[in-house]
Amino acid sequence: MSLLPDQYEVVVGMEVHAQLMTRSKLFCGDSAAFGGEPNTQVSPITLGHPGTLPRMNRQAIDMAVKMGLACQCRLETDNYFARKNYFYPDLPKGYQVSQHTTPICRGGALRIQADGQEKWVRLNRIHLEEDAGKSLHDVRAGHTAIDLNRAGTPLIEIVTEPDLRSAEEAYQFLAEIRRLVRYLEICDGNMEEGSLRCDANISVRRRGETRLGTKVEVKNLNSLRHVRKAIEWEARRMVELLESGQPVQQQTRSYDADRGITFATREKEEADDYRYFPEPDLTPFHLSEDYIREIRSRLPALRDERIARYTGTYGLSAYDAAVLTEERTVADYFEEVVRHLPHYKAAANWLSGPVRSWMNDQAADITSFPVTPLQLAGLIRLVEEGRLSFSAASTRLLPALLRTPGADPESLAAGMNLFQQSDAAAIGELIDQVLSRHADKVREYKKGKKGLLGLFVGEVMKLSGGQADPRLTNDLVLEKLKSS
C-alpha cells in the first residue's frame, strides 16, 4: 500500500489492558498465576455459579491507585463496580464486572518521546475490571477450546483521549505504559503472555480538520511492533478508501501478523448496549485521604526523576541515564553499585557493556545476575585504581566471579595473578628487550613511522603476560625511544 499522503493525518486513541500482579483473582481466592493447566484455576465463584458471592481484592485497588497517582490522575474517592452484560464463549458468567460510571482514576496524562519531540498524551480514565477467559482456536482442528483460568484476573484499563498522531507515537505510548507498570511493580508487562495488550481506535482526516473521522477499532494487539504495523496499515487502507470515493465503515478489526494486514471481524454501526447496572453483590468502596497518602508514600522513584538525578548528581549523559533507567531493576542495581563507588560513569559503562552482554547471552534480567552490586563495585574500583586492566577485569575476573558467587574480587584477582605490574624498573627491562629485538623497527620509528609505537607497547604487554600497566608502559616506551 502507498504511504500516507501529506494532506491526511491519523488520529489514534488507545485502550490498554494491564493484568495486575496479584496472587489471587479480583473477586475470589483462585490463583491468578500464568501458565497453569487449562481450567484448573477456577472455582464456583469464577464460573459464576448461583449462590456464590464475590469479594473484593484490596491489593488490586492499591495497584490501580498507584497507577493513577503515577499518571497524575484525579482519584475517584467513592467507587462501585457494575455488571457489563454481553455474551462471549469465554465469559462464564455472561457478564463482566467492571467500572462504568465511576472509574477509579479520571484524567491524567503521560509524557512520551516520539520522532525527537516530547508530547503529553491525555488520559480519559483508568478503571478496574476482571478479565475474561481465553478462546483457543489451534488446539483441536475445527473446534474452539475454552480455558477459563484467566477469567476473573484483575485488570486496569488505561483509556487515552484521541491525542496520538502517528503509529510511532502509539508505539512509544505503549512502551511508556509497559515501562511504568514495571516500575510500579503492578504488572509484568509481558505482551507475549497477554498480561499487557491493547486496542487501537484509529481514524483519519484531512489536515486542518477538527472533526474526527469514522473510527475503526483494532482489537487485542499483543506486541509493540504489531501496534505500529497495524496502525500504519489501517491508516493507509482508510486513506485509499477515501481517495477512491468510498466511505470508511465503523468496524471492529483484528491484525494478521503473518500477512501484516488488518481484517474485519464485525460491523459496528452503533455503540454496543451493555446494559450496565451496579453489581448487587459488591458494596461501594471509599478511598480516604489517609489511604491515598499512604499509597503515595510507597511510590518508587520513577524514570523521569531518576534521569534528572543521574544527569545532575551523577553527571551522566542523557543517553547513559536513559539506558540505565529503561528498566527499574537495572536502575536499582546501578544505584546500589554507586552507593559503594564514586565512579559513576565507569559503573554506567559496566552496566551497559559487560553486564548487559551477560543478560543478552543468558536471555535473563539483572535479577538473575550472580554478581552482587557490592562485588561489581569492588571490581570496578580495581580498574579505576589502575590495579587491573579493563580487559583482564571483563574477560577474566568477571567470568570468575560469575562462577564463584560470593567471592571477593580483590582476593580472586590476586589468586589469578591478574594485577597489573606498575614497577617502572621491571617494565623498563621488558621494554629494553623489545626494543633490542626490534632494532630495525626502532630505526623506522625514528624516521617517522610513529604508528609503530603500538607494536612496541603490545610486545611489552605480551612479555609481561598482560600484567604491565598499559598507560605506564606507553609512557616508558616513549621515553626510551626519545633517549635511544
Side-chain angles (χ1 to χ4, degrees), residues 82-88 91 93-98 272-279:
R83 290 188 183 181
K84 178 182 179 182
N85 294 274
Y86 64 98
F87 173 77
Y88 207 70
L91 193 69
K93 293 183 287 197
Y95 60 85
Q96 179 189 38
V97 179
S98 180
D272 291 308
D273 179 11
Y274 292 119
R275 306 186 316 281
Y276 285 99
F277 62 85
E279 166 58 67

Side-chain angles (χ1 to χ4, degrees), residues 287-305:
L287 307 182
S288 70
E289 289 301 319
D290 287 344
Y291 166 78
I292 294 170
R293 195 177 303 114
E294 193 271 330
I295 295 292
R296 191 188 299 277
S297 72
R298 291 195 274 121
L299 288 178
L302 299 179
R303 192 184 190 214
D304 285 352
E305 180 184 338

